[in-house]
């Protein structure tokens, strides 16, 4: 590995990873030249990317929940309409 980085092995993942000793930043990929030149900036970029992924995942979950609730509302509306129609048929 480049200077300042060490190669490690994850027994649980059964693969190697790399750690920048000064920042304690770990990553699966071999350090790029940008990461070697400025590991702190590289760590920040990766942290920002991970935070964005978490926000996107949360937004996707909320969208799925909303779609599910909308489907439930449509089903209830449909059931109510059927019930009203049946009641009207019985009354006439």
């Amino acid at each position: 590995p480049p200077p300042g980085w060490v190669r490690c092995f994850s027994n649980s993942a059964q693969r190697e990873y790399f750690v920048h000793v000064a920042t304690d930043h770990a990553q699966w990929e071999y350090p790029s030249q940008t990461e070697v030149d400025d590991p702190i900036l590289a760590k920040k970029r990766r942290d920002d990317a991970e935070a964005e992924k978490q926000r996107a995942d949360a937004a996707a979950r909320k969208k799925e929940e909303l779609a599910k609730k909308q489907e439930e509302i449509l089903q209830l509306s449909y059931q109510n309409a059927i019930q009203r129609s049946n009641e009207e048929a019985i009354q006439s």
Side-chain angles (χ1 to χ4, degrees):
W5 292 81
V6 293
R7 183 185 317 256
C8 302
F9 188 80
S10 167
N11 289 325
S12 60
Q14 288 296 299
R15 61 185 283 200
E16 66 182 15
Y17 64 97
F18 300 88
V19 176
H20 184 260
V21 178
T23 62
D24 201 31
H25 168 63
Q27 62 187 50
W28 295 112
E29 303 84 15
Y30 190 88
S32 68
Q33 190 59 50
T34 302
E35 292 162 336
V36 172
D37 293 342
D38 193 345
I40 294 172
L41 179 61
K43 181 179 185 323
K44 182 182 182 321
R45 276 199 311 267
R46 286 184 186 269
D47 290 348
D48 291 348
E50 180 60 30
E52 179 57 32
K53 182 182 181 312
Q54 289 175 356
R55 283 191 293 274
D57 290 347
R61 282 191 302 276
K62 285 183 182 182
K63 186 175 180 179
E64 289 174 11
E65 290 169 6
L66 179 59
K68 189 174 182 179
K69 287 181 182 182
Q70 288 174 330
E71 179 64 27
E72 290 171 358
I73 290 169
L74 285 174
Q75 287 178 356
L76 286 173
S77 296
Y78 176 74
Q79 290 170 355
N80 287 339
I82 296 279
Q83 184 177 357
R84 280 193 306 274
S85 176
N86 289 340
E87 290 171 355
E88 290 172 0
I90 290 171
Q91 292 176 357
S92 56

